[in-house]
Amino acid sequence: MNFSKEGQGPVVVLSHALALDRGMWSDVAAALTPHCTVVRYDHRGHGEATGAIDPFSIEDLADDAADLIREVSSDPVVFVGLSLGGMVGQALAARHPALLRGLAVLNSAAHYPDRSTWDARILAVREGGMQAIADSSIERWLTPAFRQSPAGQAMAGRLREVLLRTDPLAYTRTCEAIAGMDLRPGNRRIENPTLIVAGRQDMATPPAMSQAMAKDIASARVVEVEAAHISAAEIPGELASLLDDWIRALPA
Ligand SMILES: O=C(O)CCC(=O)CC(=O)O
């Protein structure tokens, strides 16, 4: 698996969103490394990872993350996942709780009752490649106000480049995994301290999805932030500070 490890202190693993890569976390990682050892990795078929040809499930991605954690740390780690990364985090906590000190699930969901939007995306990418979903994705990922700012325009450009570089087959395989997932039964077993972060302007995984998740995870608390879907790109400083405070308060 492709990963990077930087900084000193408790190990924090950062898990990225669909059609992005571990670069998505650059600004959050820079803010965390003075106090934490930050490990970032690419999901199957994303970023520098290759070989996402066979179908896989969110549980398979969670087992990949478990293998990575065993490789980078002999102690339990803090796992922070955004969207797809948060789905992986939920499955990881349900399947491998002893590997975790804490779980942060940002801008994510446990289940999609209606798979038609995923089927539409899969069809669009099969017919038109990643270009076919680029504009609509960026519109869901960042708020209009941020996209109009110079920093937001630069960020949108960087995210678009990564999306366009994503292997279309890896993207559609991951959409299949998300469309087929139901993490709710596993969530009812989670006992790790859990922080759920919802973006008030997140159209991809609206706050109601976070509230539903929190009903199943007894140990969870929900915090809302002013951002759209990729909060790690839009408000990295605020998010890093929220995570830093939460990590410091976790039992050792
Ligand atoms: O972002 C993810 O990891 C999955 C949810 C999603 O598809 C977000 C989006 O592109 O709208």
Side-chain angles (χ1 to χ4, degrees), residues 17-18 82-84 87 112 118 121 137 140-141 178 204 229:
L18 176 63
L82 190 147
S83 197
L84 171 63
M87 297 164 195
Y112 288 87
W118 294 103
R121 278 202 221 179
S137 297
R140 287 190 303 272
W141 287 357
I178 295 173
H229 188 57

Side-chain angles (χ1 to χ4, degrees), residues 80-103:
V80 179
L82 190 147
S83 197
L84 171 63
M87 297 164 195
V88 171
Q90 293 167 71
L92 181 66
R95 293 164 75 78
H96 306 281
L99 294 177
L100 302 187
R101 274 181 69 209
L103 168 68

Side-chain angles (χ1 to χ4, degrees), residues 96-226:
H96 306 281
L99 294 177
L100 302 187
R101 274 181 69 209
L103 168 68
V105 179
L106 322 180
N107 304 88
S108 196
H111 173 62
Y112 288 87
D114 173 10
R115 61 169 289 146
S116 60
T117 55
W118 294 103
D119 289 335
R121 278 202 221 179
I122 291 167
L123 191 63
V125 168
R126 279 191 189 139
E127 287 179 351
M130 294 304 289
Q131 182 69 45
I133 53 137
D135 289 344
S136 57
S137 297
I138 299 291
E139 281 166 21
R140 287 190 303 272
W141 287 357
L142 304 172
T143 59
F146 184 59
R147 273 185 274 124
Q148 278 157 21
S149 71
Q153 280 172 16
M155 180 56 75
R158 286 204 289 280
L159 297 182
R160 179 186 290 270
E161 271 176 33
V162 181
L163 177 145
L164 291 175
R165 277 203 308 268
T166 302
D167 174 6
L169 182 56
Y171 182 85
T172 57
R173 289 284 194 232
T174 313
C175 289
E176 291 284 0
I178 295 173
M181 81 180 173
D182 187 356
L183 304 173
R184 295 171 296 177
N187 282 354
R188 293 180 199 121
R189 297 198 303 273
I190 293 178
E191 292 181 356
N192 302 105
T194 301
L195 173 70
I196 296 177
V197 178
R200 288 199 190 96
Q201 300 187 56
D202 186 345
M203 304 297 176
T205 49
M209 289 183 145
S210 292
Q211 297 295 350
M213 220 188 296
K215 284 202 175 117
D216 282 333
I217 305 177
S219 54
R221 88 179 155 92
V222 183
V223 174
E224 289 195 3
V225 294
E226 207 55 59

Side-chain angles (χ1 to χ4, degrees), residues 5 9-13 66 68-78 97-101 252:
K5 188 175 180 186
V11 178
V12 179
V13 177
L68 170 71
I69 292 168
R70 291 189 192 97
E71 186 176 341
V72 298
S73 176
S74 48
D75 296 316
V77 305
V78 173
L99 294 177
L100 302 187
R101 274 181 69 209

